[in-house]
Every structure is written in C-alpha cells, then in structure tokens.
Amino acid sequence: MKTAFSAPGDYIYFKSQVPLHKIPIGTKQWRYYDFGPKVVPPLICLPGTAGTADVYYKQIMSLSMKDYRVISVDIPRVWNHHEWIQAFEKFLDAIDVHHMHLYGTSLGGFVAQLFAQHRPRRVWSLIPSNSFLDTCSFSASMPWAPVVSWTPSFLLKRYVLMGIRDGPHEPFIVDSVDFVVSQVETLSKDVLASRLTLTVDAASVGPLLLSDSFITIMDTNDYCAIPQQLKHDVRERYPEARRAFLKTGGDFPFLSRPDEVNLHLQLHMRRVGVEARADLVPGVSKGGSGGSPGEGNDGREDPDDAPRDDGEPSEGPSTDSQLHPNPESSESHSLGDQPLSNARVCHVVNEDIMVLFLPHLQDILFLHLFPLYLGSLCITLNNCWKVRRSIK
C-alpha cells in the first residue's frame, strides 16, 4: 500500500508532554488522555470506529494551551448500547467528572447522543460531527454481523479500512488517513469486533432533553464514509442547533483541518458559557498531567446527579442543562481580569477567523476583482477603437 508510517513531529511532542492513562473498571480497560485545568468542565472527545484516544491529539494540545480541559477516550470493548451507557457512566464516576461537554465523530457522535438521551443531567452540551441517528443502514450493509466476534483480526481491519476512501486526496487529508490507519493497527480483535457490533446493533437516538441551543453540528462537505442522508437527518432532528460546515476535511477533519475544528470547538464552549481558566494553567507542560481518580474534579459537583441520573422527566434535565453553564462564565474571571481577558479573546477569535478565510481568499479576490478587470478591459478596447476610427 504505502511505505512505513512515520509519526508526525507534533504527535511525538504530544506524547512527550501528555500522559496516557489506563484504568480497569470492572471488566473494561479504559484508555484516555486528560489534559487541562481540573476546575473547568471538560470537553470529552469520543472517536469513531477506526479511531483511538490519540486521534484528538491536535485538539488536546490546542485547547489546553487556551486553558480548556480536554479528555480523549477510547471506546472500550462493549457489545451493545445499554452496556456502553452503563460503562461510560462508571468511567466518569471513576475520574470524578459529573458534568461534561461531548464531542463525537461518526460512531462517537452516535454514542454521545445516546448518552445525552439517557443521562441528560450529566451532558451540558453536544457536538456531533459526521454522525447519524440510527444504525439501520449499517446493519443492512453488514449481513455477517452475527459472526463478527469470530472474524479474524486482519479481516476486521480490512473491513474498517475499506470504508475510508482510497483515492486522490489533498496532502493534509492523506496525512490524516495515514495516521488513522496506523491507529487501527493498534486495535485488538475484540475491540474492533465490539465497535462494529455497536455500529449495527439495533438502536436509535430518541428525543433529547438538551436544548438545541446547546448543540453544534459539525460536518464536512466533501467525501465522508457517513452517507449525506444520515448527516441530513441529524440536522433535521436539531433544527435550531448551530451548524459548522467544513468545505473539506474528509472523514477525519480533526486531523486534516485542526485549526477550523479547534475554532468551532472553542466558539461552542464559549457560547454555552464555558470560559477558559487562564489563572490555573501557566503552560502546556504544567497543565493537565493529572486525570487520576480523585483529581478530576470539575469544580461543579452535584453528588445527587451521578448515581440517580436515569433520564426521568421529573428531574428536569432541560432546565439543568441550560442553567448550569451560565454560572461558569461568572466564576471564570474576576472583574479585574476582564479587560485583559476580553482583549485576549478578541485576538484569538480574529486570528482563528483568518484561518477560516485564508483558504478561500483566492475565490473572494476573483469574485471581486474579475468584474473590475472586465470593466477596465472594455473601456481600453473602446478607446482603442475610437483612436483607430479617428486615424482613418
């Protein structure tokens, strides 16, 4: 296929700075990164079928430098969606995280929506990316699903990689595909089989108690393994949600378009009321070396939430999800810090918005300057014609 994969330099630096945590909870082995100030409600990233916790390393490095807490999690070996919800809740209890913001791509976006549906008081906001609402289309295209647990590892990996388009790509998309392929090679047979089973297990996302105003849908407009109709269904389900479209990026925009993705994530966090805590993290190397149980307190504990959160209407998660993020912004900065903070925010937003517009600068200049060029050309030709007539 291609030559041996060489890890990017920024990934090697990431591995040297951010510790990988592994904790057993029951029969599940959880593998995750936790970086950033512990008092900030975390953004938890959930990968797709072919991803690991490592695929979000660009988001961890960028957002933690801006003083957000980011947790990137491997989906462990779970065989149905009920087991996923129970296992993920136990994991959150073990690392002492009671409320969070969920960002998931593909399968990760689907299971994030399921968790938000069944544990609404724990999820403050949601960012599904290239995701879907049900598994019907996937189960229909995978008739051998009943024997997936007996399928050899190399066949499972081949099936997963077949979903990634192998064709002419822009260099940054090629690099993202190469990185994900290298991560697939690290997955065990049981983990791959369980993720494929989650993809075809009969389940669908029901109505969420989370308001659409706390949801941002981030999709790519070029080729993606998730059919456009399934992504369209997600947009129809949350009509009032904020939409963030990326012109290109392929299946892994968090790797191929990290600047744009990080900007949308940061704007989402600010919009739902989460401000960075610049006074708590002086630098990357000192930021989030923690993540062990007992240290990951988000500073907003509600002991009644975690054990008894099963989505009953009497708990009123809708108001809970809308009221909690607002106090966070009032806690984040003292009055004396506001002018400096506001100046820093404006600088960051302007810088990141430039990143969005630079790829389209050529198109913008063409649309504005081409009519002027045609006008001046017509005037020049008209004058030349008049001069020739006067000479004759």
Side-chain angles (χ1 to χ4, degrees):
M1 188 173 170
K2 289 182 182 176
T3 57
F5 172 77
S6 177
D10 57 347
Y11 176 65
I12 296 174
Y13 175 74
F14 163 79
K15 295 288 286 183
S16 70
Q17 296 293 317
V18 184
L20 172 65
H21 301 281
K22 297 180 181 179
I23 57 171
I25 304 175
T27 60
K28 307 290 185 294
Q29 179 75 21
W30 288 87
R31 179 179 176 275
Y32 68 101
Y33 296 97
D34 184 354
F35 206 62
K38 299 298 180 285
V39 298
V40 178
L43 174 69
I44 298 185
C45 305
L46 300 173
T49 307
T52 65
D54 298 66
V55 298
Y56 294 111
Y57 77 91
K58 292 179 182 287
Q59 284 65 53
I60 296 174
M61 293 298 288
S62 175
L63 295 178
S64 64
M65 288 184 68
K66 295 172 182 176
D67 312 312
Y68 289 95
R69 181 184 181 187
V70 184
I71 301 175
S72 182
V73 183
D74 265 6
I75 297 178
R77 190 180 58 203
V78 291
W79 298 94
N80 58 67
H81 299 98
H82 177 73
E83 185 182 3
W84 153 253
I85 294 168
Q86 298 293 331
F88 190 49
E89 186 169 36
K90 291 179 180 178
F91 167 72
L92 295 174
D93 292 338
I95 64 173
D96 200 20
V97 171
H98 301 289
H99 306 100
M100 80 293 303
H101 308 267
L102 289 180
Y103 165 50
T105 56
S106 188
L107 176 63
F110 177 64
V111 297
Q113 293 175 81
L114 285 178
F115 190 80
Q117 175 190 348
H118 293 279
R119 299 294 185 268
R121 295 185 67 182
R122 304 195 76 156
V123 180
W124 281 1
S125 72
L126 191 63
I127 313 170
S129 176
N130 289 339
S131 192
F132 49 93
L133 294 174
D134 61 66
T135 59
C136 296
S137 61
F138 299 106
S139 57
S141 62
M142 190 175 167
W144 52 280
V147 297
V148 68
S149 59
W150 294 302
T151 306
S153 177
F154 76 93
L155 287 179
L156 294 177
K157 292 178 180 178
R158 181 178 179 183
Y159 180 80
V160 169
L161 296 178
M162 281 175 57
I164 304 174
R165 185 179 183 182
D166 187 15
H169 288 305
E170 298 177 61
F172 55 84
I173 296 182
V174 172
D175 292 341
S176 70
V177 171
D178 288 345
F179 185 86
V180 171
V181 170
S182 72
Q183 293 299 305
V184 171
E185 295 298 328
T186 67
L187 297 176
S188 68
K189 168 183 172 297
D190 288 341
V191 169
L192 279 171
S194 66
R195 292 187 186 181
L196 289 173
T197 302
L198 280 181
T199 305
V200 300
D201 184 42
S204 61
V205 178
L208 301 186
L209 293 177
L210 186 67
S211 169
D212 285 4
S213 60
F214 289 86
I215 300 175
T216 295
I217 301 172
M218 191 188 308
D219 289 336
T220 54
N221 286 334
D222 58 349
Y223 175 83
C224 176
I226 304 300
Q228 286 292 339
Q229 182 57 46
L230 297 185
K231 295 194 289 185
H232 181 70
D233 293 342
V234 176
R235 298 169 204 155
E236 285 192 337
R237 172 66 63 87
Y238 314 115
E240 302 300 322
R242 184 68 59 90
R243 300 182 183 183
F245 294 112
L246 307 179
K247 185 177 179 181
T248 60
D251 288 292
F252 317 111
F254 43 87
L255 288 169
S256 59
R257 291 290 191 190
D259 292 332
E260 296 181 39
V261 170
N262 295 340
L263 172 61
H264 287 307
L265 291 176
Q266 189 176 355
L267 293 178
H268 170 87
M269 296 292 279
R270 288 175 178 168
R271 187 166 57 85
V272 300
V274 180
E275 290 291 339
R277 298 298 298 266
D279 55 321
L280 298 174
V281 181
V284 177
S285 61
K286 302 177 184 178
S289 58
S292 58
E295 294 180 1
N297 188 352
D298 59 9
R300 319 257 321 212
E301 290 188 32
D302 185 354
D304 295 331
D305 285 355
R308 292 195 294 273
D309 197 354
D310 19 40
E312 292 119 345
S314 61
E315 293 180 344
S318 173
T319 57
D320 202 33
S321 63
Q322 296 181 30
L323 294 179
H324 277 294
N326 292 330
E328 183 62 27
S329 60
S330 63
E331 293 176 1
S332 299
H333 302 283
S334 63
L335 291 176
D337 291 339
Q338 284 183 0
L340 178 60
S341 173
N342 291 339
R344 180 175 177 271
V345 166
C346 293
H347 172 72
V348 171
V349 171
N350 290 335
E351 179 182 349
D352 289 336
I353 288 177
M354 284 299 297
V355 173
L356 282 179
F357 283 104
L358 281 177
H360 312 290
L361 185 59
Q362 183 178 355
D363 297 336
I364 295 173
L365 292 176
F366 176 80
L367 291 175
H368 285 80
L369 297 181
F370 187 65
L372 297 176
Y373 171 75
L374 287 179
S376 62
L377 182 61
C378 290
I379 293 173
T380 303
L381 292 176
N382 188 38
N383 291 335
C384 291
W385 180 74
K386 288 181 179 179
V387 170
R388 291 189 62 184
R389 287 191 61 185
S390 64
I391 293 175
K392 291 180 179 180

